[in-house]
Amino acid sequence: MSLARITHIGGPTTLIEVDGWRLLTDPTFDPPGRRYSFGWGSSSVKLVGPALGVDELPEIDAVLLTHDQHADNLDDLGRALLPRVGAVVTTVTGAARLGGGAVGLAPWAVHTLNRPGRPPLSITATPCRHGPPLSRSITGDVIGFAVEWPGQEHGALWVSGDSVLYDGMRQVGGRFDVGTVLLHLGAVRFGVTGPLRYSMTGRDGVELCSLLRPQTVIPVHYEGWSHFSQGRSGVAGAFAAGGLEARWLELGVTGLVSV
């Protein structure tokens, strides 16, 4: 049986360890209490700090960065970490902003990581839309990541990225057999835009997973910031009503996941 070690550090930030590889998603390591601007009059306060500090991380082979333009996915301490990791894979526009050899992927583009003595990791960018229709010019580009390697038993490990539920997300199930999904939720809202949502609700997660049928669903990025309108209890209620079982990872506790 092939196992991955996944540690939920906080927000969207997870450490994924599998077959000698160490991947870090969306590094956010700033302490809580600060308000961050998200542009166009929107802002959010970080309420909970990371379960691990940057100095407690092992050597990181690659950062999978869904987007660089929002502090709840890349904050100051997370940004300072990037030059010290093996590779950074992100959006095309994000790679141009970050420089330093960051790899930019458009949706469905593929980048392969190779290291001696380890299986190659194939990383495919998957589409996201971080808000309602026509919001991309305001919220910016976002991608998810489908990660595959030889010897997987249950299909790709998918990092959904910050997105509402739309056709681009639904297409993932037609292209990949998804075994494990790190599902970004939280139903993000900002007072300045009223009822508009910028990430999935628990009910959206149920609908998406009914199409993908993953073996393991790990909710992430659903609390710890003031802009989330649906926390763990709301997500759990929606999952229970929809018959979807989740694997909840407590912050800082490493879970073993069959992959």
Side-chain angles (χ1 to χ4, degrees), residues 4 44 63 78 100 121 155 219 230 234 242:
S44 183
V63 164
L121 290 187
Q230 187 179 55

Side-chain angles (χ1 to χ4, degrees), residues 162-173:
D162 287 7
S163 181
V164 296
L165 181 58
Y166 78 115
D167 284 347
M169 296 287 278
R170 295 184 181 96
Q171 290 171 16
V172 172

